[in-house]
Amino acid sequence: MSALIVNDRSIELDKDGYLLELQDWSAEVAAALAAREQLDLSAEHWEILELLRAFYAEFQLSPANRPLIKYVALKLGPEKGNSLHLNRLFNGAPAKLAAKLAGLPKPTNCL
């Protein structure tokens, strides 16, 4: 386990860098997690992160790539709900990295 320090607060992470406690998530935590991944969050990233958090609130799970792409396409349209767009935003691992940055558990069927 490791920890992330955000605003003088220690946030516990699992061995893969996901939050141990979902309630520890905040925009500042997301930005700090993104910085660890050498990623600057843009408005496009935030749009997906907010959508993922809504998905989790509704279904209590983090979607794998295919359901994530379909959900984004349903909510934001096919120009954003496609693998090319999401891979570009999240360094080729959209389901895993976006879930991590959104403060959600690792998708169960992602290696």
Side-chain angles (χ1 to χ4, degrees), residues 10-54:
S10 180
I11 309 293
E12 296 296 317
L13 305 175
D14 71 10
K15 65 179 178 59
D16 296 319
Y18 291 81
L19 297 182
L20 285 179
E21 300 293 333
L22 299 183
Q23 65 270 17
D24 285 338
W25 188 85
S26 67
E28 293 83 12
V29 169
L33 289 168
R36 286 175 60 137
E37 301 288 337
Q38 299 163 349
L39 188 65
D40 288 322
L41 296 178
S42 68
E44 288 182 302
H45 291 99
W46 284 109
E47 188 174 47
I48 303 302
L49 297 182
E50 290 167 9
L51 197 63
L52 256 177
R53 290 186 60 81

Side-chain angles (χ1 to χ4, degrees), residues 6-106:
V6 178
N7 298 328
D8 297 323
R9 194 169 141 232
S10 180
I11 309 293
E12 296 296 317
L13 305 175
D14 71 10
K15 65 179 178 59
D16 296 319
Y18 291 81
L19 297 182
L20 285 179
E21 300 293 333
L22 299 183
Q23 65 270 17
D24 285 338
W25 188 85
S26 67
E28 293 83 12
V29 169
L33 289 168
R36 286 175 60 137
E37 301 288 337
Q38 299 163 349
L39 188 65
D40 288 322
L41 296 178
S42 68
E44 288 182 302
H45 291 99
W46 284 109
E47 188 174 47
I48 303 302
L49 297 182
E50 290 167 9
L51 197 63
L52 256 177
R53 290 186 60 81
F55 183 98
Y56 189 84
E58 185 174 348
F59 301 108
Q60 282 71 55
L61 62 92
S62 299
N65 275 327
R66 185 166 286 173
L68 172 62
I69 291 166
K70 287 184 178 196
Y71 191 73
V72 172
L74 177 69
K75 298 293 185 177
L76 302 177
E79 66 282 349
K80 293 182 180 181
N82 64 71
S83 59
L84 289 175
H85 178 72
L86 294 174
N87 282 327
R88 181 183 59 78
L89 287 177
F90 296 102
N91 298 335
K96 288 178 11 180
L97 184 53
K100 182 185 291 186
L101 300 181
L104 304 176
K106 182 178 180 180

